[in-house]
Amino acid sequence: MNQDYSYAISVLQDMGYTETEASEIVGKIQQGGYAFPYKKAMSVNESKCDEWMRDNCTGIDIPVLWTPQQDKSSDTIVLLAQDPLRDNDYWDYSTKVLQHDRHVIVGTPYALHISYETKRTLVGAKKKAKRYNVGVYRAIIEKLCERGYNVYCTDIFKYYMRETPCNEVAASDVELFVNECKRVNPIKIVAMGKKAQRAVAELHIEPDKIVSVPHPKARPQRTTELIVNDIIEKL
């Protein structure tokens, strides 16, 4: 599979970043790491500014378009997750190493742009590596790409703030997602989890374009194969 970040700069600009800032963020992600832009230097959602400046674990995940190994497809499926969660335990190490207080941590959905070994190095081979059990997401993407689809991975919540966990999707988040759909023009939107499903249900999208499935984390008893097959069968 190939990773395509051509849509990420536009999404970051929609979120208030300049083209230069967005390009720098994407460049860091493409190098296989996370981006740590300084919060004060970036434009943020004003309604969340106070929380943003207090929080040490603010997160944004930029969208990634995964394409088949041989050729980019003409058909794209959106894999819609819920939020760019940042684990406070994981990022405690950064407070000392990077002094990231006042930074927003930018990554990608499920952090699939980073190799497993790099993740183990970042968090400690034994202590935190279990937090990266994301094989189910890669399996979903791989299976869809094998079937000739592009897979556009994004979140319905565009910001995560540890101190202010979101329960409802903001209008600004929905607007950002609508803009993404206009650019990507997906044939299907796979909404994983209730928050993502509630958000897309309110949009003026043809019902047959929306595929609602439980979030993989809500089905720990299900094997990766069963979860992947459930999605494939509903397309």
Side-chain angles (χ1 to χ4, degrees):
M1 300 184 299
N2 300 310
Q3 298 176 56
D4 183 342
Y5 292 92
S6 58
Y7 295 98
I9 292 178
S10 296
V11 172
L12 286 167
Q13 288 182 281
D14 286 347
M15 297 173 75
Y17 293 83
T18 67
E19 184 176 0
T20 298
E21 290 169 342
S23 297
E24 289 176 354
I25 291 171
V26 171
K28 290 178 182 179
I29 296 295
Q30 288 179 304
Q31 291 172 15
Y34 287 90
F36 293 83
Y38 190 66
K39 292 178 184 176
K40 284 185 177 178
M42 301 296 178
S43 301
V44 301
N45 186 320
E46 291 184 3
S47 66
K48 297 182 177 181
C49 213
D50 289 341
E51 293 87 351
W52 184 284
M53 294 309 298
R54 287 200 306 268
D55 199 332
N56 291 344
C57 290
T58 302
I60 294 173
D61 281 345
I62 62 173
V64 181
L65 181 72
W66 296 83
T67 62
Q69 190 67 37
Q70 300 302 320
D71 296 298
K72 186 174 180 179
S73 173
S74 58
D75 294 329
T76 298
I77 293 174
V78 169
L79 196 62
L80 182 63
Q82 299 195 159
D83 59 61
L85 178 66
R86 294 294 178 265
D87 190 308
N88 191 36
D89 291 338
Y90 173 93
W91 290 109
D92 279 348
Y93 91 96
S94 292
T95 305
K96 294 180 181 179
V97 177
L98 297 170
Q99 297 181 339
H100 84 292
D101 178 59
R102 297 284 186 262
H103 285 71
V104 56
I105 301 161
V106 185
T108 61
Y110 323 119
L112 293 178
H113 69 291
I114 299 181
S115 70
Y116 179 70
E117 288 306 316
T118 300
K119 291 170 186 173
R120 287 173 60 88
T121 301
L122 283 173
V123 301
K126 295 181 180 179
K127 187 176 180 182
K128 303 289 184 181
K130 61 185 179 65
R131 297 185 183 278
Y132 283 101
N133 185 21
V134 295
V136 62
Y137 307 112
R138 180 173 287 277
I140 293 169
I141 296 167
E142 287 179 348
K143 186 62 68 175
L144 292 174
C145 284
E146 286 174 4
R147 287 174 170 256
Y149 299 111
N150 305 317
V151 183
Y152 182 86
C153 293
T154 192
D155 298 307
I156 191 62
F157 286 102
K158 297 307 180 188
Y159 304 90
Y160 172 79
M161 298 178 192
R162 174 176 49 82
E163 293 187 0
T164 56
C166 297
N167 292 315
E168 297 298 330
V169 180
S172 58
D173 292 325
V174 173
E175 182 180 355
L176 289 167
F177 180 64
V178 169
N179 288 342
E180 288 183 90
C181 287
K182 289 178 179 177
R183 296 187 186 107
V184 177
N185 191 27
I187 61 169
K188 296 283 185 180
I189 298 172
V190 178
M192 300 192 299
K194 293 180 179 179
K195 294 176 183 177
Q197 291 161 17
R198 285 198 296 266
V200 296
E202 297 177 2
L203 302 178
H204 298 294
I205 297 174
E206 299 92 326
D208 62 350
K209 269 195 173 186
I210 301 173
V211 177
S212 297
V213 297
H215 196 282
K217 285 187 176 180
R219 299 191 289 179
Q221 74 283 4
R222 303 271 286 181
T223 65
T224 294
E225 183 178 5
L226 287 174
I227 292 173
V228 172
N229 288 342
D230 184 34
I231 292 174
I232 297 295
E233 290 173 2
K234 291 182 178 180
L235 290 177

